[in-house]
Amino acid sequence: MGYSQDATARRDGAAMMDSSSIVAVWRAVRARLREECGDLVYAAEIARLRVELDAAGRVCVICPNEFGRSWVEDNVGMRLRALWATVAEQACDILICTEKTLATQKSHTVSVAALSAGGMSETAALPLVEDTVEDSDAKREARFTFDTFMVGSANMMAATAARAVASADAPPFNPVFFHGDYGVGKSHLLAAIAHAASLSGKRKKVLYLTAEEFLNGFQSALRARDVQPFKDLVRDCDMLLIDDVHFICGKPRTEDEFLQTVTSLISAEKQVVLASHCAPSQLSVSDDRLRNVMAGGFNCPLQGPDLDLRRKILDCKIAQARNHCPDLEVPETVRDFLAARVTSSARELEGVLNNIIVRTAYMNRPVTMETVEEALGELPVKAERRITVDDIQKMTASYFSITVDDLISKRRTKAVVRPRHIAMYLAKTMTTRSLPDIGRRFGGRDHSTVIHAVNKITETLTSDAVLAEDVEALRRRLRG
C-alpha cells in the first residue's frame, strides 16, 4: 500500500469510530500508560490530556500547552500511537497538539460528561470535560461520592439536601444553589449527586459541567453559527449540575442562554443544581431575572471545616492514599497535629498531606512529627489561633449575656442549658480536649453529658436557623 493509500486508510479508520468508541479506546490507552509510566508521571503529565476528532477526521490528543505537547511527543508519543493501534484494532492518524492549535480548527467534539451520563448525542459546540470517562468514573467512585464526603456542622445541611436531591424522583426544590469559599466541598457535593443519581437505577440523564465548559461550549456554538446542538445537549437531561456559576456572570449573551436553560429545565420539572463561591444575591449578574431564578430555589451555604471535620477529612484522605501507598502509616498524634494546624480548607489539608506522603512514603521514610514539621515549614500554610475551653466559655457567656459560673453551674433553666450545650459542642469541635476533660471543665460533669450536648446541637443545627447562626457567630468571634 502506498503512502497516500495508507494515510487515507488511517483517516477512514478514525472516521469509522464514533465519539463513544474514541473515548473507550482512550480510556484503555491511558490505563496502559498509567501502568507503564507510574502514578506520579501519569498524574503530572498524562491525566490532564483529552481527545477529540478534528475536522479532518484525525484523533487529536490535546495538551494544555506547548511544553506539555513537547513532553508527550518526546516521551510517550510513539508508545501512545502503538497502544492506540493495538486497542482500536485499526489504523488512524493521531495528532498531538495544544489547546491553542486546536482552537483555530472546527472541532468535532463530544462531552464526556454527557456520554458517561447517558449516551447523549454529539455536538460541535461543547468541548470535552478535562477528565476523560476513565478519570471521571474513577474519581467519582473512589473520591467524589457521598461515602467520601465527610459531614460535620459546617456542611450537614448541604449534605442532607444533596442526598435528597440525588434520590428524588422529582425535584424537591429547584434550583439547588450551594455556595461557600473555595475548598469547602461544593464540587465534591455536585459530583456526589451526579454519581448517586446516575447509579439510582432510574435511567436518569445526568450532565455535570463547569461554568467554563458551559461558557466555552456556547461561545463555540456562536462562532459556528449553530447553537441548536448545544441547546439540545444542555436541555435534554433530567439533571443538570453546573459548578462555579460565577464565571458566567458579566457575559450578557451567555447569561441569557444560561437563564433560558435553567428556566426551561425547571419548567419541565428537571433538576438543576448550581454552585458558586458566593450567594445569588452577591453575584454580579447583568440580568436580575437570573439572580431571582437562582435565589428562588434552595440556597445552602457551606462553611469552612472545624477541627472535628478536618480530622474526619484527614482520616478519609489517608485511607484513600493507601490505594497507591498500601504501607502508609500516619500516627494519631500527627493526624491531630495536622487537623489543628491546617485550617483554611479541605483542599489545602489534602495538599499538605500529599506533600508529606511524597516526602515519606515515596522515599521509604516513616511519617513522624519531624518530617511533618519539615514539610509545613516549606509550605505557606495558614495557622489557626489556638482556642481553649476557657476562651469558648468566656465568649459563649458574653454572647448570651450570662456568666461563666452560670455555664458550669448545676442550673437547668433554658437560658443556661442551651448556651451550655453550645459551649460543650464548640469545645468538642474546636479543641483537641477529650470528652472527660471537657466534662470536668464544665463543673465536673460526666463525659456522657458532653456527648448528649454535642449530639443535641449536631442534630438541631440543620433544622434550627437561629441556632446555626449563633454557633457560626461564636465560631467567627473565637477565630478572631
Side-chain angles (χ1 to χ4, degrees), residues 342-356:
V342 185
T343 64
S344 63
S345 70
R347 192 171 294 160
E348 183 181 34
L349 187 60
E350 183 176 12
V352 170
L353 177 63
N354 290 339
N355 191 284
I356 291 168

Side-chain angles (χ1 to χ4, degrees), residues 99 121 232:
E99 295 279 359
S121 59
D232 291 343

Side-chain angles (χ1 to χ4, degrees), residues 427-428 431-441 447 450:
K428 173 64 175 67
T431 77
T432 57
R433 295 294 180 182
S434 66
L435 293 171
D437 190 24
I438 294 172
R440 284 193 296 270
R441 291 165 184 266
H447 74 281
V450 182

Side-chain angles (χ1 to χ4, degrees), residues 371-430:
T371 55
V372 169
E373 289 173 347
E374 174 188 325
L376 290 176
E378 298 178 11
L379 296 172
V381 177
K382 178 184 175 183
E384 186 176 71
R385 182 177 71 86
R386 183 172 178 270
I387 297 169
T388 67
V389 175
D390 286 342
D391 293 332
I392 291 170
Q393 289 175 336
K394 290 175 183 177
M395 187 66 73
T396 305
S398 174
Y399 183 85
F400 287 103
S401 301
I402 59 178
T403 67
V404 173
D405 287 340
D406 290 329
L407 281 179
I408 65 177
S409 72
K410 302 298 182 183
R411 291 177 57 193
R412 300 182 59 82
T413 61
K414 184 176 180 180
V416 172
V417 170
R418 185 176 172 107
R420 183 184 295 140
H421 284 177
I422 291 174
M424 288 180 174
Y425 169 83
L426 292 173
K428 173 64 175 67
T429 57
M430 298 187 75

Side-chain angles (χ1 to χ4, degrees), residues 272-480:
V272 178
V273 185
L274 310 172
S276 174
H277 67 71
C278 60
S281 60
Q282 299 172 311
L283 289 173
S284 302
V285 295
S286 306
D287 190 337
D288 281 338
R289 291 179 302 166
L290 177 57
R291 190 196 323 277
N292 291 338
V293 168
M294 290 189 290
F298 175 70
N299 279 261
C300 185
L302 284 84
Q303 307 294 340
D306 57 24
L307 178 62
D308 187 52
L309 182 54
R310 291 197 298 272
R311 176 57 197 267
K312 289 182 183 178
I313 292 169
L314 191 63
D315 289 343
C316 179
K317 299 300 181 185
I318 291 170
Q320 291 174 338
R322 289 202 179 105
N323 290 329
H324 54 84
C325 292
D327 297 328
L328 177 66
E329 292 295 337
V330 182
E332 294 294 311
T333 54
V334 170
R335 299 180 188 217
D336 288 340
F337 174 76
L338 287 174
R341 181 74 170 79
V342 185
T343 64
S344 63
S345 70
R347 192 171 294 160
E348 183 181 34
L349 187 60
E350 183 176 12
V352 170
L353 177 63
N354 290 339
N355 191 284
I356 291 168
I357 290 172
V358 171
R359 290 168 178 268
T360 55
Y362 278 102
M363 300 177 74
N364 295 318
R365 299 170 62 194
V367 179
T368 64
M369 288 297 297
E370 289 72 23
T371 55
V372 169
E373 289 173 347
E374 174 188 325
L376 290 176
E378 298 178 11
L379 296 172
V381 177
K382 178 184 175 183
E384 186 176 71
R385 182 177 71 86
R386 183 172 178 270
I387 297 169
T388 67
V389 175
D390 286 342
D391 293 332
I392 291 170
Q393 289 175 336
K394 290 175 183 177
M395 187 66 73
T396 305
S398 174
Y399 183 85
F400 287 103
S401 301
I402 59 178
T403 67
V404 173
D405 287 340
D406 290 329
L407 281 179
I408 65 177
S409 72
K410 302 298 182 183
R411 291 177 57 193
R412 300 182 59 82
T413 61
K414 184 176 180 180
V416 172
V417 170
R418 185 176 172 107
R420 183 184 295 140
H421 284 177
I422 291 174
M424 288 180 174
Y425 169 83
L426 292 173
K428 173 64 175 67
T429 57
M430 298 187 75
T431 77
T432 57
R433 295 294 180 182
S434 66
L435 293 171
D437 190 24
I438 294 172
R440 284 193 296 270
R441 291 165 184 266
F442 279 84
R445 286 175 165 83
D446 186 78
H447 74 281
S448 61
T449 303
V450 182
I451 293 174
H452 170 75
V454 172
N455 289 342
K456 180 77 172 177
I457 297 300
T458 301
E459 292 167 3
T460 314
L461 271 175
T462 57
S463 58
D464 189 332
V466 174
L467 174 64
E469 185 178 335
D470 288 340
V471 170
E472 186 55 34
L474 282 166
R475 285 187 193 282
R476 287 196 299 267
R477 296 187 185 189
L478 286 163
R479 287 171 176 160

